[in-house]
Amino acid sequence: MDNKAFSAFSLMTFLGVFLLALQTVCGDVAYSLPEEIKRGTVVGNVAKDIGLEIGKLAARKARIDVDGNSKGYFDIHASTGNVIVTDRIDREGLCGKKSTCILKQELVLEEPLELHRISFHIQDINDNSPQFKKNRIKFEIRESAGKGSLYRLDEAHDADIGPNAIQGYSIDANEYFRLNVIEKGVGGKYSELVLEKELDREQKQELTIVLVATDGGTPQRSGTAVIYVSVLDANDNAPAFSQAVYKASLPENSPLDTVVITVRATDADEGVNGEVTYEFDHISDENHDMFSLDQTNGEVRVSGSLDYEQVPSYEMQITAKDGLGLVSSCTLIIDITDVNDNAPITYIKSLKNPVPENSPPGAEVGIINVQDRDAESNGQVRTFIQQGVPFKLVPSIKNYYSLVTTGQLDRELLSDYNITITATDEGSPPLSSSKTVHLSVADINDNPPVFEEQSYSAYVTENNKPGSTLCSVTARDPDWRQNGTVIYSLLPGDVNGAPVSSYLSVNGDTGVIHAVRSFDYEQFRSFKVHVMARDNGSPPLSSNVTVSVFISDVNDNSPQILYPSPEGNSFMTELVPKAAHGGSLVSKVIAVDADSGQNNAWLSYHIVKSTDPGLFTIGLHSGEIRTQRDISESDSMKQNLIVSVKDNGQPSLSATCSMYLLISDNLAEVPELKDISYNDNNSKLTSYLIIALVSVSTFFLTFIIIILGLRFCRRRKPRLLFDGAVAIPSGYLPPNYADVDGTGTLRSTYNYDAYLTTGSRTSDFKFVTSYSDNTLPADQTLKKSPSDFADVFGDCNGSPEVRAYFYPDISGSSDFNLDLLRKIYSSITAINKRTSIGRFAFSDTSRLPQTCMEDAMNLYC
C-alpha cells in the first residue's frame, strides 16, 4: 500500500472516528482519538469539560501527570485549556490485541489540590499489514491423498484489531486446491488448503500457490506467502493435541529455565509420518524471548525476565507437525502472578523552597506522590516522615500527600531541614524506600540587633588626638543578609551644651567610636552617649546601648601660686621679729594645681635660693616657711627666698615665686623698703647693688628731711607697729580651687585681717574667727568709725595672734587722720608685745603725698 493511499486513509479515519469529549458521572473526562494522530492535534478542551475558568489553569499549575515510568502522550495548554497530543501514539505497542485501549492519566490542579481522571480511548486505524510467519510454506503431500484432504496453512498476523485485523485469505486460481477460511473460537481466522483434485506425482511433482491474507481496513492491506507443494506418498493423519487450550500460571520472579507447561500432540501414523515436532506459531517481537519450546517433548520453559507490571499474561499458539508436514495447533495462555518486587517510589510533585519562617502552622509547602507498581496488597503503601521536624504528611487524594508545617519556624534556630520521606508497602516481606527533601527557611527581619554588652565604657586621656579610637561596640543580628547587616550611629544628644557629634563619631560598619576633638579633663571628666544599632531589614529593627566615656587626667597644668601674688607691681614684705626662735612660723606659700590625683596635683615646696640658706626652711607639702634656728644679730635684716612649687606628675611641672622677709621689731629699724627685691640673675648682681646703694642714699636723705619736718609738729604721734602673720584675702582663690586639702595650702587656726585706708573717716575691718582646713573664708567686712578702732584693738588681748594689713592707698588724698593713726598705734603696741611676727606692707610708697609721708615719719619716730 503506497504512502498516498495510507495518508488518505489516515485523514478519513481522523475525520470519521470522532473526537468526542465525554465527562463521566463522577466528574472524570474521557476522550476518543485514533492512534498515530499528529503531534499538536487538539483532543478537547478540559477547562470547558470540567467547568473551570481558563484563566485559573495557569494560576493553579494545571498539568497532566502519569503514573510511575509511564510515558506522557498529552499535555494541556494553560492559556486555552486545550488538551494536545505531544508524542506518537501506537495502539498496538500500548495495548497489543486488547479490544479496548485506554490510557488513564490525571489532571492535577494545585491550591487547592484537585485531581481529575482523564481517560483517552485509543481507536485502532489500519496501519499494519497482515504478515505471515514464513514467506515460504512447504507441504509434502502424498499422491494418495484423497479429494477433500485438508492442509492447514500458517496463520497470518495483523497487529490491528477489529475490522482492521485479518478478514480473509485467498489463493490464486489453480486446478488442484481451493482455500477454506475458518474462524477460531478465541478470535482470529486461519485457512486450509482443500484438495479438489487428486495429485499425480508423475504428472507434476511440485506446485506453487500464492496465499494472500487481507484485512478489512480502508484502504485494505494485505500480506502474501508462497506455498510450495511437493507431491509424496500419502500422510493421512495430522498430529492432534490433547487439549485445544493450555493454561499455566507462574510468579514473575520465576528463575530462568523454569518449566511452565508441557504440551503434547499425538499422530496416528507410524514412522516418519508419526514423528511430531513442536514450535511456536507466532509470538510478538516483545515476547519472543520470554519462553522457549522444546521441539521434541513440548516443554515450555522460562527464557527471559518476567515482569508482571509490564506484561501480566501471555497468549501463544503452538503447532505440532509430523514428519511429512501435517500440522495441528493449540493455544497456550500463561498468567503471571505478582510478587512484591517493587519498592514504593516517592515523587515530589510540587515544593515551595525556601519556606518563609513566618509561615503559620498548617501551611502547605509541598505535594508528594507515592506509587508502587505492584498489585493488591503489594501495592498498598504507608508513608511517613521522621520525628523531630516541624512538618507532617497529610493524606490527600488517592496516592497524593500534602507536606504541611506543624509549628512555627525559626531560621535563626535552624535554617535548613532534611526531611526523609519513607514509604513502605504491605507486601511480604514489605519493601520500603526513602527520599530526602531539603527545605530551606527564608529569613524575615524578626530579630533586632543585640549588643554584646549591656553598656560600654571607654577610657581616654585628656589632650588626645582628634580621630583617635576610644572603643568599639558590637551588636549581633542573627537574621540573614540585609536583615542581619548592622549599621551603627550616634543618637542625637548634648554634651556640655554641644551636640554629641562634635565630640564623638562612630563607624557605621564596624562600630568603632572615634574622638572628634581633644578632651580636657579640667573641663569635664566623663559623659555618656547613646549608640544605636540598626539592621537593614524592612522595616528596620534597632536597639540602643549606653557608652560612658571617662577622661583621665594628664599632667598638663603647672602649679599656680596664689600667695604671694606674682602679679602687679606691688610687693609683699613679711616682718620677722628678731626674737623669733627656731621653728617659728614666718609665712606660707599657697599654690594649687588644676590637675587632679596624688600624682599630678600633689604639690611639694622647695627653697631653691635664699640669702641665708640655713636660716629658713619650708614644709615639703604644707608650704609653711619656718625658722630653722634662732635669729642672731649677725643675720642680714633683708632675706630673699626663691620658692619652687612642683607637682608629682610625669613629667613634673613647677612654678617659682619670691618671698621677701625683713628681720625687725619695728618700722624704725627699716632703712628702706623699695629696694627689697630679689635678683634672679647673679650676673647682674653688681648693677642691682649700685641701684640699691643709690636708692638707699636717696631714701636716707629723704628720711632726714622728713624727720626734720616732723620735729616741728605740735602734737605727739604714737609709734605704729603692725604685727601679724600671713593673711590671704578670699579674693585670691578662684572658685574651683576650694578643695586644697593636702596640697600645701595654709591651715591657720586664728587669723585677723585689718584693712586701713586713709582717704575717709571710716575704715573697713574684716574679722574671721577661724579658717577651715580645706577652704579659705569669705569676706566678712564691718564698717567702723574712727572712734571705734581703739575699742576694737583693745579687745584683742585674748587673741593668740593678730595680723594686720596696711595699704596706704592715699594717692591724691590730703585727709590723713593722724588721730586715728595714734589710736591704732596704741592698740597695736599692746598687741605687738604678745605676738611673734609683725608685718608692714606697702603697695607703692612712691604714691604717698609729701604731707602724709611726713606725718607717717613723725608717727614712726
Side-chain angles (χ1 to χ4, degrees):
M1 186 179 298
D2 56 4
N3 293 332
K4 185 179 296 184
F6 176 77
S7 301
F9 173 76
S10 299
L11 180 61
M12 293 176 63
T13 303
F14 176 75
L15 296 177
V17 178
F18 45 83
L19 293 174
L20 299 176
L22 300 176
Q23 187 164 0
T24 62
V25 176
C26 59
D28 294 346
V29 181
Y31 298 98
S32 293
L33 68 157
E35 64 174 331
E36 304 293 345
I37 193 170
K38 186 179 179 181
R39 290 182 179 91
T41 303
V42 176
V43 177
N45 191 293
V46 71
K48 184 184 300 182
D49 295 336
I50 65 174
L52 182 66
E53 295 180 9
I54 296 177
K56 292 185 178 180
L57 292 176
R60 296 185 63 181
K61 301 178 182 178
R63 62 184 180 273
I64 295 177
D65 273 358
V66 296
D67 294 337
N69 297 325
S70 299
K71 189 175 181 180
Y73 294 95
F74 304 93
D75 197 1
I76 183 171
H77 199 289
S79 61
T80 61
N82 291 332
V83 178
I84 60 176
V85 178
T86 61
D87 202 351
R88 173 179 175 267
I89 302 175
D90 184 11
R91 191 203 67 80
E92 289 74 26
L94 292 174
C95 302
K97 284 292 187 178
K98 293 181 181 179
S99 59
T100 59
C101 184
I102 299 176
L103 293 181
K104 295 183 178 180
Q105 299 187 0
E106 293 173 339
L107 173 65
V108 181
L109 301 174
E110 295 184 10
E111 296 181 359
L113 178 63
E114 186 177 347
L115 296 179
H116 292 272
R117 185 166 56 194
I118 303 178
S119 298
F120 296 91
H121 295 264
I122 309 302
Q123 304 296 330
D124 183 50
I125 64 172
N126 192 24
D127 59 339
N128 293 281
S129 299
Q131 292 182 351
F132 289 93
K133 181 181 177 181
K134 298 178 181 179
N135 293 330
R136 296 169 61 90
I137 303 174
K138 293 183 178 182
F139 285 98
E140 294 180 346
I141 304 175
R142 292 186 180 275
E143 61 182 354
S144 60
K147 185 178 179 181
S149 297
L150 300 179
Y151 302 94
R152 180 169 174 170
L153 300 176
D154 291 342
E155 183 181 358
H157 174 73
D158 193 336
D160 297 324
I161 62 172
N164 296 324
I166 294 175
Q167 299 297 317
Y169 297 89
S170 62
I171 60 174
D172 54 348
N174 64 89
E175 60 180 331
Y176 294 100
F177 296 95
R178 65 177 176 84
L179 190 65
N180 188 20
V181 179
I182 302 171
E183 291 187 3
K184 297 192 300 184
V186 294
K189 295 180 180 181
Y190 65 92
S191 60
E192 294 178 337
L193 284 177
V194 180
L195 185 61
E196 288 286 318
K197 181 181 178 182
E198 293 181 354
L199 299 176
D200 187 359
R201 182 177 178 277
E202 287 71 27
Q203 292 182 1
K204 198 169 189 175
Q205 294 182 355
E206 292 184 351
L207 297 176
T208 302
I209 304 172
V210 177
L211 175 63
V212 178
T214 57
D215 59 21
T218 303
Q220 191 178 57
R221 291 175 177 267
S222 62
T224 60
V226 178
I227 303 173
Y228 295 94
V229 179
S230 297
V231 181
L232 301 176
D233 289 335
N235 182 22
D236 54 355
N237 291 291
F241 284 95
S242 60
Q243 57 189 67
V245 177
Y246 290 86
K247 291 185 178 181
S249 176
L250 74 159
E252 60 178 327
N253 61 348
S254 298
L256 296 178
D257 209 33
T258 299
V259 176
V260 179
I261 196 173
T262 300
V263 296
R264 184 170 297 277
T266 59
D267 194 321
D269 295 326
E270 292 180 357
V272 177
N273 295 331
E275 294 179 357
V276 179
T277 58
Y278 303 92
E279 62 179 12
F280 288 117
D281 185 15
H282 181 81
I283 299 180
S284 64
D285 295 337
E286 294 84 359
N287 301 328
H288 75 281
D289 290 332
M290 294 299 175
F291 301 96
S292 63
L293 177 62
D294 192 300
Q295 293 184 350
T296 59
N297 59 22
E299 286 184 348
V300 179
R301 296 177 180 269
V302 176
S303 61
S305 178
L306 303 179
D307 190 350
Y308 170 84
E309 288 72 34
Q310 290 186 359
V311 182
S313 65
Y314 295 88
E315 181 176 338
M316 297 167 285
Q317 298 291 324
I318 298 178
T319 60
K321 181 184 295 187
D322 60 21
L324 298 180
L326 293 180
V327 297
S328 62
S329 64
C330 68
T331 302
L332 174 61
I333 299 175
I334 301 175
D335 293 325
I336 308 300
T337 59
D338 183 49
V339 296
N340 192 26
D341 59 344
N342 290 281
I345 301 176
T346 301
Y347 298 95
I348 307 300
K349 295 297 184 179
S350 177
L351 188 64
K352 295 179 181 178
N353 196 13
V355 182
E357 64 177 322
N358 61 346
S359 298
E364 184 179 84
V365 299
I367 298 176
I368 311 299
N369 178 241
V370 181
Q371 298 179 10
D372 193 320
R373 298 175 62 195
D374 294 323
E376 299 179 352
S377 62
N378 295 331
Q380 299 297 318
V381 179
R382 293 178 292 106
T383 308
F384 57 90
I385 62 175
Q386 78 272 26
Q387 299 294 324
V389 293
F391 299 94
K392 68 176 181 179
L393 288 176
V394 177
S396 183
I397 303 172
K398 199 179 176 183
N399 50 357
Y400 281 84
Y401 298 84
S402 295
L403 181 62
V404 300
T405 59
T406 60
Q408 190 66 43
L409 303 178
D410 191 345
R411 193 203 67 84
E412 289 69 42
L413 293 178
L414 192 59
S415 60
D416 294 277
Y417 292 92
N418 288 322
I419 302 173
T420 301
I421 302 173
T422 303
T424 303
D425 60 29
E426 296 183 358
S428 180
L431 299 178
S432 63
S433 65
S434 298
K435 189 178 187 67
T436 300
V437 178
H438 179 78
L439 282 179
S440 299
V441 181
D443 183 54
I444 64 170
N445 193 25
D446 58 345
N447 291 280
V450 177
F451 285 93
E452 291 183 348
E453 300 180 18
Q454 294 183 352
S455 62
Y456 291 84
S457 298
Y459 299 89
V460 59
T461 57
E462 63 175 332
N463 304 325
N464 59 291
K465 293 183 179 180
S468 58
T469 300
L470 300 187
C471 68
S472 177
V473 297
T474 303
R476 307 293 183 186
D477 194 323
D479 292 326
W480 194 46
R481 289 187 176 176
Q482 70 271 13
N483 294 333
T485 302
V486 179
I487 301 174
Y488 303 92
S489 62
L490 289 174
L491 290 179
D494 293 336
V495 176
N496 286 354
V500 66
S501 58
S502 64
Y503 288 88
L504 300 177
S505 67
V506 62
N507 189 304
D509 297 326
T510 63
V512 177
I513 298 177
H514 302 276
V516 176
R517 64 167 64 175
S518 179
F519 300 129
D520 190 353
Y521 176 83
E522 287 69 42
Q523 290 184 359
F524 55 89
R525 301 184 180 184
S526 65
F527 61 92
K528 293 182 178 181
V529 297
H530 298 283
V531 178
M532 179 180 70
R534 175 180 58 84
D535 59 31
N536 249 350
S538 179
L541 301 178
S542 63
S543 60
N544 303 333
V545 72
T546 300
V547 179
S548 301
V549 180
F550 298 95
I551 305 170
S552 58
D553 184 46
V554 297
N555 193 27
D556 60 343
N557 291 281
S558 301
Q560 182 178 352
I561 300 175
L562 301 180
Y563 181 82
S565 174
E567 300 178 355
N569 296 323
S570 63
F571 61 90
M572 189 69 66
T573 303
E574 300 286 352
L575 294 180
V576 181
K578 293 181 179 180
H581 298 288
S584 299
L585 177 65
V586 174
S587 184
K588 183 174 183 177
V589 177
I590 301 176
V592 294
D593 196 317
D595 296 321
S596 64
Q598 291 191 353
N599 290 330
N600 299 331
W602 184 255
L603 302 181
S604 60
Y605 301 83
H606 309 273
I607 297 176
V608 298
K609 196 169 187 180
S610 65
T611 304
D612 189 348
L615 182 55
F616 298 100
T617 184
I618 189 168
L620 179 62
H621 297 297
S622 65
E624 295 179 347
I625 300 176
R626 296 180 181 271
T627 58
Q628 294 192 70
R629 56 179 174 79
D630 296 344
I631 298 176
S632 63
E633 293 295 334
S634 62
D635 292 328
S636 175
M637 178 183 295
K638 294 182 290 184
Q639 297 287 332
N640 296 335
L641 303 179
I642 296 179
V643 178
S644 173
V645 182
K646 296 182 179 180
D647 57 29
N648 201 29
Q650 293 295 332
S652 177
L653 301 178
S654 64
T656 59
C657 66
S658 299
M659 181 69 71
Y660 309 106
L661 304 177
L662 288 177
I663 301 176
S664 176
D665 290 332
N666 52 59
L667 294 175
E669 299 177 358
V670 182
E672 57 188 42
L673 296 174
K674 293 181 63 177
D675 61 343
I676 303 176
S677 62
Y678 183 76
N679 184 9
D680 292 333
N681 192 346
N682 292 331
S683 65
K684 298 181 180 180
L685 180 60
T686 303
S687 299
Y688 283 120
L689 289 176
I690 295 173
I691 295 173
L693 180 60
V694 173
S695 300
V696 170
S697 300
T698 304
F699 182 77
F700 178 74
L701 292 176
T702 305
F703 181 71
I704 295 298
I705 295 173
I706 292 174
I707 291 176
L708 292 176
L710 291 177
R711 286 184 180 276
F712 296 98
C713 296
R714 292 178 293 181
R715 290 183 293 181
R716 184 172 179 273
K717 282 80 176 174
R719 297 174 64 186
L720 179 61
L721 290 177
F722 293 87
D723 181 30
V726 180
I728 305 302
S730 63
Y732 281 174
L733 293 174
N736 60 337
Y737 294 152
D739 187 5
V740 292
D741 185 18
T743 59
T745 59
L746 176 63
R747 296 182 182 179
S748 299
T749 306
Y750 295 95
N751 295 300
Y752 294 91
D753 298 341
Y755 298 92
L756 175 62
T757 61
T758 59
S760 65
R761 296 295 181 180
T762 62
S763 299
D764 292 341
F765 279 82
K766 179 170 70 175
F767 297 94
V768 182
T769 59
S770 174
Y771 289 168
S772 66
D773 292 339
N774 295 327
T775 59
L776 295 175
D779 292 342
Q780 298 179 7
T781 304
L782 300 175
K783 295 292 184 177
K784 297 291 184 178
S785 64
S787 61
D788 295 334
F789 280 92
D791 296 335
V792 173
F793 284 95
D795 295 337
C796 296
N797 295 332
S799 301
E801 182 178 0
V802 178
R803 300 178 182 179
Y805 278 92
F806 178 34
Y807 296 99
D809 188 8
I810 55 175
S811 176
S813 174
S814 61
D815 189 9
F816 191 85
N817 195 329
L818 296 180
D819 292 335
L820 176 61
L821 292 177
R822 292 190 186 97
K823 292 180 182 180
I824 295 174
Y825 171 75
S826 299
S827 299
I828 295 178
T829 300
I831 297 171
N832 193 42
K833 295 178 180 180
R834 297 186 298 275
T835 60
S836 60
I837 302 174
R839 181 179 63 190
F840 182 53
F842 292 90
S843 62
D844 191 353
T845 57
S846 64
R847 299 175 60 195
L848 291 172
Q850 184 64 35
T851 57
C852 294
M853 182 61 104
E854 292 176 355
D855 291 340
M857 292 299 100
N858 290 333
L859 178 61
Y860 183 82
C861 297

